[in-house]
Coordinates of all heavy atoms in Angstrom, one line a residue:
C36 N 8.0 60.3 10.0 CA 8.8 60.4 8.8 C 8.3 59.3 7.8 O 8.7 59.3 6.6 CB 10.3 60.2 9.0 SG 11.0 61.6 9.9
F40 N 2.6 55.5 6.4 CA 1.8 55.5 7.6 C 1.9 56.7 8.5 O 1.3 56.8 9.6 CB 2.2 54.2 8.4 CG 1.9 53.0 7.7 CD1 2.9 52.3 7.1 CD2 0.6 52.4 7.6 CE1 2.7 51.1 6.4 CE2 0.3 51.3 6.9 CZ 1.4 50.6 6.3
C79 N 15.5 75.7 6.4 CA 14.0 75.6 6.6 C 13.7 76.1 8.0 O 12.7 76.9 8.3 CB 13.5 74.2 6.5 SG 13.6 73.6 4.8
L84 N 11.3 80.3 11.6 CA 11.4 81.3 12.7 C 10.9 82.7 12.2 O 10.1 83.4 12.9 CB 12.8 81.4 13.2 CG 13.4 80.2 13.9 CD1 14.9 80.5 14.3 CD2 12.6 79.8 15.1
H89 N 8.7 84.1 15.4 CA 9.8 84.0 16.4 C 10.9 85.0 16.2 O 11.6 85.3 17.2 CB 10.4 82.6 16.4 CG 9.5 81.5 17.0 ND1 9.0 81.6 18.3 CD2 9.0 80.4 16.5 CE1 8.2 80.6 18.5 NE2 8.2 79.8 17.5
G102 N 27.5 73.1 17.0 CA 27.8 74.5 17.2 C 26.8 75.5 16.7 O 25.8 75.1 16.1
P125 N 35.2 73.4 7.4 CA 35.1 71.9 7.4 C 36.2 71.3 8.3 O 37.3 71.9 8.5 CB 35.4 71.5 5.9 CG 36.3 72.7 5.4 CD 35.8 73.9 6.1
L127 N 38.8 68.6 8.7 CA 39.5 67.7 7.8 C 40.4 66.6 8.5 O 40.8 65.6 7.9 CB 40.4 68.5 6.9 CG 39.7 69.6 6.0 CD1 40.8 70.3 5.2 CD2 38.6 69.0 5.2
R128 N 40.6 66.8 9.8 CA 41.4 65.8 10.6 C 40.7 64.5 10.8 O 39.5 64.5 11.2 CB 41.8 66.4 11.9 CG 42.8 67.6 11.8 CD 43.0 68.3 13.2 NE 41.8 69.0 13.6 CZ 41.6 69.6 14.7 NH1 42.7 69.6 15.6 NH2 40.5 70.2 15.0
P133 N 34.3 61.5 12.8 CA 35.5 60.8 13.1 C 35.7 59.6 12.1 O 34.7 59.0 11.7 CB 35.2 60.2 14.5 CG 33.7 60.1 14.5 CD 33.2 61.1 13.6
P138 N 48.0 58.3 10.5 CA 47.9 59.1 11.7 C 46.6 59.9 11.8 O 46.0 60.3 10.8 CB 49.1 60.0 11.5 CG 49.4 60.1 10.1 CD 49.0 58.8 9.5
V150 N 35.6 48.5 0.0 CA 34.2 48.4 0.1 C 33.7 47.2 -0.8 O 33.8 47.2 -2.0 CB 33.5 49.7 -0.4 CG1 32.0 49.5 -0.4 CG2 33.9 50.9 0.3
L155 N 37.6 52.0 -3.4 CA 37.1 53.3 -3.8 C 38.1 54.4 -3.3 O 38.6 54.4 -2.2 CB 35.8 53.6 -3.2 CG 34.6 52.7 -3.6 CD1 33.3 53.1 -2.9 CD2 34.4 52.7 -5.1
C159 N 37.4 62.3 2.9 CA 36.5 62.4 4.0 C 36.7 63.6 4.8 O 37.8 64.2 5.0 CB 36.7 61.1 4.9 SG 36.5 59.6 4.0
C167 N 31.8 60.8 3.7 CA 32.8 60.1 2.9 C 32.5 60.2 1.4 O 31.5 59.7 0.9 CB 32.8 58.6 3.3 SG 34.0 57.6 2.4
E180 N 22.2 53.0 -4.0 CA 21.4 52.3 -3.0 C 22.2 51.0 -2.6 O 21.8 50.5 -1.5 CB 20.1 51.9 -3.6 CG 20.1 51.0 -4.8 CD 20.5 51.6 -6.1 OE1 20.6 52.8 -6.2 OE2 20.7 50.9 -7.1
S194 N 30.9 56.4 14.1 CA 29.6 57.0 14.2 C 28.8 56.9 13.0 O 27.8 57.6 12.7 CB 29.8 58.5 14.6 OG 30.5 58.7 15.8
V201 N 29.9 61.9 -6.3 CA 30.0 63.2 -7.1 C 30.5 62.9 -8.5 O 31.4 62.2 -8.8 CB 31.1 64.1 -6.4 CG1 31.2 65.4 -7.1 CG2 30.7 64.3 -4.9
G225 N 22.1 69.0 2.4 CA 22.9 70.3 2.5 C 24.3 70.1 2.9 O 25.3 70.6 2.3
A270 N 14.3 77.4 0.7 CA 13.6 76.9 1.9 C 12.1 77.3 1.7 O 11.8 78.5 1.6 CB 14.2 77.4 3.2

Side-chain angles (χ1 to χ4, degrees):
C36 292
F40 298 99
C79 292
L84 295 178
H89 283 305
L127 305 177
R128 291 171 292 177
V150 179
L155 296 179
C159 302
C167 178
E180 66 283 351
S194 300
V201 184

